[in-house]
């Protein structure tokens, strides 16, 4: 979680925590791991004493998870739900289905074509799609996101596409 960032409102933070808690309670057979951003530790500072369901694990307070960095955790995940942040790219690079929490005041256009979770039902549908026929499509979307954002993956094609886009926008004006 990157909830320490000033770009997130209190409303966004509250909704994020509430939706995550509801999701965990609605899917008791799935485990949810939350890693507070090491620079901010917002979750640790602001939800101590929060009554999380037993299938939610906070890395900063779990003996086996405490020493793992984000890269090690991602290697063990089935999917990732994150704030609009670089965590999305890290997760997508691990070929993980990745979704962005986009409700309230966050612009998420940068993160397309990743799923954007706007409503409570979006969270549940994303988790439910991890184990069925949709996982391949979700991983494809993660791959598309990585290809769009990392020039070294497909640098030449990205440059050509940008030039063509610039030419087209110039000829339209």
């Amino acid at each position: 979680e990157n909830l320490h960032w000033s770009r997130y409102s209190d409303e966004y933070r509250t909704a994020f925590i509430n939706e995550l808690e509801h999701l965990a309670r609605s899917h008791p057979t799935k485990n949810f791991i939350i890693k507070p951003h090491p620079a901010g530790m917002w979750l640790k500072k602001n939800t101590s004493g929060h009554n999380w369901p037993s299938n939610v694990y906070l890395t900063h307070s779990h003996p086996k998870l405490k020493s793992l960095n984000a890269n090690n955790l991602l290697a063990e995940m089935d999917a990732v739900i994150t704030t609009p942040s670089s965590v999305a790219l890290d997760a997508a690079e691990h070929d993980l289905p990745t979704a962005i929490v986009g409700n309230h005041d966050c612009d998420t256009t940068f993160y397309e074509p990743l799923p954007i979770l706007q409503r409570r039902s979006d969270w549940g549908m994303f988790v439910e799609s991890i184990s069925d026929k949709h996982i391949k499509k979700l991983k494809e979307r993660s791959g598309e996101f990585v290809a769009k954002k990392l020039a070294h993956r497909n640098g030449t094609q990205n440059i050509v596409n940008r030039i063509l886009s610039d030419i087209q926008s110039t000829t339209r004006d």
Side-chain angles (χ1 to χ4, degrees):
E1 59 84 358
N2 285 317
L3 296 173
H4 69 285
W5 284 79
S6 60
R7 67 180 162 202
Y8 302 125
S9 67
D10 288 338
E11 179 185 18
Y12 180 89
R13 289 181 187 96
T14 299
F16 187 98
I17 298 303
N18 289 341
E19 295 303 326
L20 177 60
E21 182 177 1
H22 180 267
L23 184 69
R25 290 188 192 285
S26 300
H27 294 83
T29 62
K30 305 230 184 262
N31 292 319
F32 297 86
I33 298 174
I34 306 172
K35 180 169 180 50
H37 191 283
M41 297 298 279
W42 187 91
L43 190 83
K44 180 179 180 182
K45 295 174 188 172
N46 292 280
T47 61
S48 62
H50 187 84
N51 188 21
W52 291 102
S54 62
N55 59 333
V56 172
Y57 301 92
L58 305 173
T59 59
H60 62 273
S61 60
H62 191 281
K64 292 183 180 178
L65 300 174
K66 189 182 277 191
S67 64
L68 296 178
N69 64 30
N71 201 37
N72 297 130
L73 285 170
L74 288 171
E76 301 300 322
M77 299 288 156
D78 292 326
V80 171
I81 295 173
T82 186
T83 58
S85 69
S86 61
V87 172
L89 184 58
D90 296 338
E93 280 191 291
H94 276 83
D95 195 34
L96 292 170
T98 304
I100 304 298
V101 177
N103 53 356
H104 305 287
D105 52 5
C106 292
D107 179 12
T108 56
T109 55
F110 177 85
Y111 299 92
E112 294 172 357
L114 297 177
I116 308 299
L117 310 181
Q118 299 285 354
R119 295 172 299 283
R120 177 167 283 179
S121 60
D122 296 339
W123 289 63
M125 286 189 305
F126 178 73
V127 167
E128 289 160 16
S129 68
I130 302 305
S131 59
D132 68 13
K133 63 183 177 182
H134 301 289
I135 195 163
K136 181 179 178 187
K137 180 65 176 164
L138 289 170
K139 286 184 174 192
E140 286 172 4
R141 290 170 76 174
S142 291
E144 289 172 32
F145 175 67
V146 171
K148 282 174 54 177
K149 301 305 173 191
L150 295 182
H152 74 270
R153 293 282 172 95
N154 196 7
T156 305
Q157 188 61 52
N158 289 345
I159 292 168
V160 170
N161 290 345
R162 178 62 187 261
I163 291 169
L164 291 173
S165 175
D166 289 349
I167 290 169
Q168 288 173 351
S169 68
T170 304
T171 57
R172 280 184 258 156
D173 295 338

